Amino acid sequence: MIIGKMGKGKVKEREDRNLLKRVAKKVNISEGERGVEDILRVIYRNQPISTKRIAQLCKLPLPIVAKVRTILERERILKRENGAVLTEKGLEFVENVLKFKFKGSLRCPLCEGRGIVLNEFFKEILEKVKPWFRKRPEVNTLLDQSYATPETSVYRAALMCERGDLEGKRIIFIGDDDLTSLPVALTQFPEEVYVVDIDERLLNLIKSFSEKEGVKIKVVKHDLRKEMLEELKNNFDVFSTDPPYTIDGLKLFLSRGVECLGEEGVAYLSYSHKPIDEWLKVQEEITKMNFVISELIPNFNYYEGSEIIGNTTFIARLIGKRLKVNIGDTEKIYTGLVKPTVRYYKCLKCGKIHKLLNERIENLRCECGSKKFRMIKREKLS
């Protein structure tokens, strides 16, 4: 028995919504239809807007956003006018089918959603550390290095100060390619500041800064895949880390920090925004250590380059009691080992194609002498 028939308007609306499904399938976006809808919402509220900014606000990898944008342009939903803009057809789609209504942004223009602002004290620290950030060596992508902006590192220090995690505290950085130890030490608030890192180049820079600026930062060269040094265990109140964005990398770096805290303490975790399935795993592993996510601020950290993570990650403040280490595979902690990917780069001078597997683009030089390349394709190895 047929109770009723779906009206033509409803049928058309359902067919129109299939656009989201088609695009999500073509791009293979982990967030599915909702991810495509979020991209359209960000464009609707902020047009014209760059692909990079869309990726940041949606917390999606820039290559994914670029692919979605290209397909939506072919569907005549978007066009380019100093950035992504909805066409007349696109505007009709988002307002009549997706029911978008609100335009603009409610993000605080002063803090950009971070929840804190820099006062004169921290602004002076920012100006003091900027020249040192320019001295950082080339990133080592094999170690998943990705340098945060100096503003990001100073905002981290300010957040730790605001939450009462600097004054009189013993602080250790489990890896510090972002040089967050510099602004933290310049406050003169902590009792002790330690940095543990595998990269001697960064440790030498931090040591030079410490000597030149008259602050005390103790540096320790150590491969975190090996047992944590006994003298660092159970000796700190707070640790900060921006680990490799793999589950085993997360577990290892957090566990080494737990060993430094002892039974309780505070952790600051900077980590990539993840699709729900991966985020559930992240949350599960954090909980196993007896940490509680007391605070999480999306888009807190910004990086130089790092388009694969949209140039931005969140920061989370973790508090814990009766802490437990939770170490998994200590070898395959870096992205290149977990998800080996072949990347193809085109020389911008002569057009020659270069194929890289787990190699640093920073070291690539074309036979023509050029060091400028554009990635044209990537392939994940099974």
Side-chain angles (χ1 to χ4, degrees):
M1 178 179 177
I2 299 177
I3 297 176
K5 294 183 178 179
M6 184 178 290
K8 290 183 179 179
K10 290 292 183 182
V11 172
K12 177 67 163 59
E13 183 175 317
R14 188 172 66 181
E15 290 175 351
D16 286 342
R17 285 196 69 92
N18 282 339
L19 171 65
L20 301 182
K21 185 180 293 185
R22 294 200 314 273
V23 175
K25 186 176 181 180
K26 283 183 180 179
V27 178
N28 193 26
I29 180 172
S30 300
E31 291 76 7
E33 296 175 46
R34 180 56 190 257
V36 180
E37 183 177 328
D38 286 345
I39 290 172
L40 285 168
R41 182 180 292 105
V42 164
I43 295 171
Y44 179 70
R45 293 182 176 182
N46 301 278
Q47 60 183 336
I49 180 171
S50 70
T51 304
K52 179 179 178 180
R53 188 58 176 157
I54 296 169
Q56 291 173 345
L57 294 178
C58 290
K59 299 178 282 293
L60 291 170
L62 190 143
I64 292 292
V65 174
K67 288 180 182 178
V68 170
R69 180 177 173 179
T70 298
I71 294 172
L72 290 175
E73 286 173 356
R74 290 175 189 160
E75 295 279 348
R76 302 197 308 280
I77 298 295
L78 297 179
K79 60 182 177 180
R80 295 174 183 256
E81 287 183 5
N82 298 318
V85 175
L86 288 161
T87 63
E88 187 175 336
K89 177 185 176 182
L91 192 62
E92 182 179 349
F93 173 71
V94 299
E95 290 185 339
N96 296 337
V97 178
L98 303 182
K99 309 299 182 184
F100 291 175
K101 294 181 175 64
F102 181 75
K103 295 181 179 180
S105 173
L106 299 176
R107 287 167 62 92
C108 172
L110 293 179
C111 74
E112 281 292 309
R114 285 186 171 108
I116 57 170
V117 294
L118 302 182
N119 64 4
E120 288 304 314
F121 176 71
F122 279 100
K123 286 180 181 177
E124 289 179 9
I125 288 177
L126 175 59
E127 292 309 309
K128 188 168 287 189
V129 299
K130 277 182 178 179
W132 291 93
F133 277 67
R134 289 193 287 270
K135 295 178 182 179
R136 285 183 292 194
E138 290 286 341
V139 295
N140 185 345
T141 53
L142 298 182
L143 298 178
D144 281 4
Q145 287 182 348
S146 179
Y147 292 158
T149 63
E151 290 80 7
T152 289
S153 293
V154 174
Y155 267 107
R156 288 178 184 171
L159 179 66
M160 295 169 75
C161 176
E162 178 67 14
R163 299 300 182 262
D165 295 323
L166 285 189
E167 294 158 304
K169 305 300 183 185
R170 294 163 298 170
I171 300 168
I172 187 165
F173 290 85
I174 308 300
D176 192 28
D177 56 13
D178 298 327
L179 303 184
T180 307
S181 60
L182 274 55
V184 164
L186 279 176
T187 66
Q188 301 283 1
F189 294 157
E191 193 72 15
E192 286 185 319
V193 179
Y194 270 74
V195 174
V196 177
D197 204 291
I198 194 174
D199 192 334
E200 194 167 9
R201 303 171 306 161
L202 289 167
L203 294 177
N204 287 336
L205 178 60
I206 294 170
K207 187 177 179 181
S208 296
F209 169 85
S210 179
E211 294 170 352
K212 180 76 173 179
E213 299 297 336
V215 296
K216 293 181 180 179
I217 306 176
K218 297 178 182 178
V219 299
V220 179
K221 184 182 179 183
H222 184 63
D223 185 341
L224 294 170
R225 290 170 289 192
K226 298 178 181 178
E227 184 71 25
M228 180 55 82
L229 302 173
E230 284 297 325
E231 59 265 31
L232 298 179
K233 291 183 178 180
N234 307 306
N235 201 35
F236 296 89
D237 305 297
V238 180
F239 78 84
S240 175
T241 190
D242 192 338
Y245 301 143
T246 64
I247 292 297
D248 283 317
L250 169 82
K251 290 163 65 175
L252 179 62
F253 277 56
L254 283 181
S255 291
R256 295 307 186 210
V258 165
E259 289 176 326
C260 294
L261 294 182
E263 291 191 355
E264 63 180 47
V266 175
Y268 283 85
L269 169 66
S270 294
Y271 203 69
S272 173
H273 302 102
K274 295 289 186 181
I276 179 107
D277 289 340
E278 292 183 56
W279 175 242
L280 284 170
K281 184 64 175 174
V282 169
Q283 188 169 291
E284 178 186 350
E285 300 301 340
I286 289 173
T287 302
K288 284 180 181 178
M289 299 184 190
N290 275 354
F291 274 125
V292 172
I293 303 173
S294 66
E295 186 175 9
L296 189 149
I297 308 173
N299 299 114
F300 190 94
N301 306 303
Y302 287 86
Y303 300 82
E304 298 169 357
S306 304
E307 280 80 6
I308 194 65
I309 58 172
N311 304 90
T312 182
T313 65
F314 69 76
I315 195 167
R317 182 174 184 264
L318 314 178
I319 55 175
K321 276 192 173 184
R322 298 178 294 279
L323 290 168
K324 304 174 183 177
V325 297
N326 179 27
I327 299 174
D329 187 330
T330 59
E331 291 304 317
K332 292 186 177 181
I333 62 171
Y334 297 114
T335 307
L337 298 176
V338 176
K339 299 177 181 178
T341 303
V342 177
R343 293 177 172 85
Y344 296 86
Y345 290 89
K346 182 177 182 179
C347 175
L348 296 181
K349 184 176 181 181
C350 71
K352 180 179 174 61
I353 306 299
H354 297 263
K355 178 180 175 181
L356 297 185
L357 171 62
N358 293 340
E359 297 175 64
R360 296 170 58 184
I361 180 63
E362 296 82 10
N363 293 335
L364 181 61
R365 187 179 186 124
C366 187
E367 287 84 344
C368 71
S370 174
K371 296 182 70 174
K372 293 185 178 180
F373 304 91
R374 177 171 61 87
M375 189 174 69
I376 57 174
K377 187 174 67 170
R378 68 175 71 213
E379 294 176 347
K380 289 184 179 179
L381 302 181
S382 57

